[in-house]
Amino acid sequence: MFGAALWLVVGGVFAAPPAHAAPGGCPGKLVKALPFITGEVRVYKSRDRACAVTVALRAGERRHMSVSIQPRGGVPVGDAGQFTRYAGPVSVGAINRCVYVKGAVASGSVESGWILC
């Protein structure tokens, strides 16, 4: 009986990632989701960093995906290429700074404007 319960607990631990973890490994808490026709850009914030990842609505085929994040007063950091699931993660230092996030999957795209101010 104890063995079965232990397997259930262990299986539950490995079955799903924590709700706050991004597909690409962004640390922090999900603070903004920016949906668009072919996917979604997810923005995460930790104490001193902001991180973004673009996630395709339908994973599978390779297609152009991109994500970029720019702190106000800084330069953008991005990731782009032919991916199947997601582009990124990309992160910047963002202590008391707004960020501008962009993402695209195939022909769909989104821009955040200045957020997390």
Side-chain angles (χ1 to χ4, degrees):
M1 182 74 163
F2 176 74
L6 181 61
W7 278 109
L8 270 173
V9 170
V10 171
V13 169
F14 293 111
H20 65 277
C26 274
K29 177 181 159 189
L30 177 65
V31 292
K32 192 86 165 165
L34 306 165
F36 56 99
I37 192 78
T38 54
E40 179 178 70
V41 175
R42 297 177 188 163
V43 182
Y44 294 80
K45 182 83 167 81
S46 65
R47 185 181 64 76
D48 62 344
R49 312 251 342 136
C51 181
V53 63
T54 297
V55 182
L57 186 62
R58 293 199 175 113
E61 65 185 64
R62 288 198 175 275
R63 60 197 164 248
H64 180 77
M65 293 187 200
S66 65
V67 64
S68 72
I69 185 168
Q70 177 181 359
R72 188 176 294 244
V75 296
V77 176
D79 182 32
Q82 299 290 317
F83 303 114
T84 59
R85 286 192 191 132
Y86 57 89
V90 291
S91 67
V92 293
I95 297 175
N96 297 324
R97 294 170 88 180
C98 304
V99 294
Y100 196 96
V101 180
K102 297 179 189 179
V105 176
S107 61
S109 65
V110 68
E111 294 186 26
S112 67
W114 292 105
I115 58 173
L116 307 184
C117 297

